[in-house]
């Protein structure tokens, strides 16, 4: 097991799903944690309680990542509480599936891009400004950025742009020893749109049929890679995009 003792990790969108799993993994490795949530205070408080029981320090900060002023406040409160930030995971996002190009609306486009694209862009910007030298910046992308899926044009497009920013940012701040990488998960079971077992049955079957391992990803599969990217093992891995998809090809 790797150690993140005395590190401070900020994970956006960490009241549930992937963000929650990553936050709990980092806490189990000894990191102090900044939980971020947009609306669900009860869920955030439950995560805080779970992490505090691990013997590390943890705070929860409400902030809408689509608003730059709130992102700035999130990072300011994190540094005020802990004095530094070592690891940032840009995870917050929303999904839009089974919506053909001919049918999505301007309102849907604006909402998805404001959170997934603008929110991730400015999270990465704040991370670059505030993370300690030799720190870690991680973007949670989507396998739709590598394998286009019908019905996901807006969602996949919104996740693609920040992935490009990872490439640029890794070159701009690499001299500080900071690594910037992205994790590209397959569809995740028991999280997001697949939080309920009977949700999106046709899409679930399509994805299962495309994966040689015959299953969707689990949050722990993604947390495993998030652990690697946050640890010393990845100190010379920079500007990379790691698929966590069981060998799926579409």
């Amino acid at each position: 097991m790797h150690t993140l003792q005395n590190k401070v990790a900020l994970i956006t969108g960490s009241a549930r799903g992937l963000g929650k799993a990553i936050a709990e993994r980092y806490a189990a490795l000894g990191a102090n944690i900044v939980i971020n949530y947009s609306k669900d205070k009860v869920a955030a408080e439950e995560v805080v309680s779970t992490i505090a029981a691990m013997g590390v320090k943890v705070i929860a900060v409400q902030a809408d990542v689509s608003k730059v002023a709130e992102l700035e406040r999130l990072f300011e409160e994190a540094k005020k509480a802990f004095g530094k930030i070592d690891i940032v995971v840009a995870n917050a996002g929303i999904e839009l599936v089974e919506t053909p190009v001919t049918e999505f609306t301007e309102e849907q486009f604006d909402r998805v891009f404001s959170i997934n694209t603008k929110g991730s862009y400015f999270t990465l910007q704040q991370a670059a400004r505030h993370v300690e030298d030799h720190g870690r910046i991680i973007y949670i992308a989507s396998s739709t950025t590598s394998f286009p899926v019908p019905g996901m044009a807006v969602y996949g497009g919104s996740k693609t742009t920040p992935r490009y920013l990872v490439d640029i940012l890794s070159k701009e701040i690499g001299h500080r020893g900071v690594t910037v990488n992205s994790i590209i998960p397959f569809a995740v079971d028991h999280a997001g749109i697949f939080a309920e077992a009977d949700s999106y049955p046709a899409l679930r079957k399509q994805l299962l049929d495309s994966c040689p391992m015959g299953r969707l990803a689990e949050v722990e599969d993604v947390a495993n890679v998030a652990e690697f990217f946050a640890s010393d093992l990845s100190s010379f891995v920079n500007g990379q995009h790691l698929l966590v998809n069981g060998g799926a090809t579409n």
Side-chain angles (χ1 to χ4, degrees), residues 141-221:
S142 164
S143 60
T144 58
T145 64
S146 295
F147 306 104
V149 178
M152 296 190 186
V154 171
Y155 174 66
S158 73
K159 300 292 282 188
T160 299
T161 306
R163 179 175 164 175
Y164 181 73
L165 182 59
V166 167
D167 294 330
I168 301 300
L169 195 55
S170 67
K171 299 178 186 303
E172 291 185 351
I173 63 175
H175 65 279
R176 293 174 45 207
V178 176
T179 65
V180 188
N181 296 289
S182 74
I183 301 172
I184 308 176
F186 194 46
V188 181
D189 216 351
H190 310 112
I193 63 169
F194 293 118
E196 304 297 330
D198 59 351
S199 58
Y200 298 95
L203 179 58
R204 179 186 289 269
K205 183 180 186 306
Q206 175 188 346
L207 293 168
L208 288 173
D209 289 346
S210 75
C211 183
M213 299 187 74
R215 69 175 178 87
L216 302 185
E218 295 287 352
V219 293
E220 292 304 315
D221 295 317

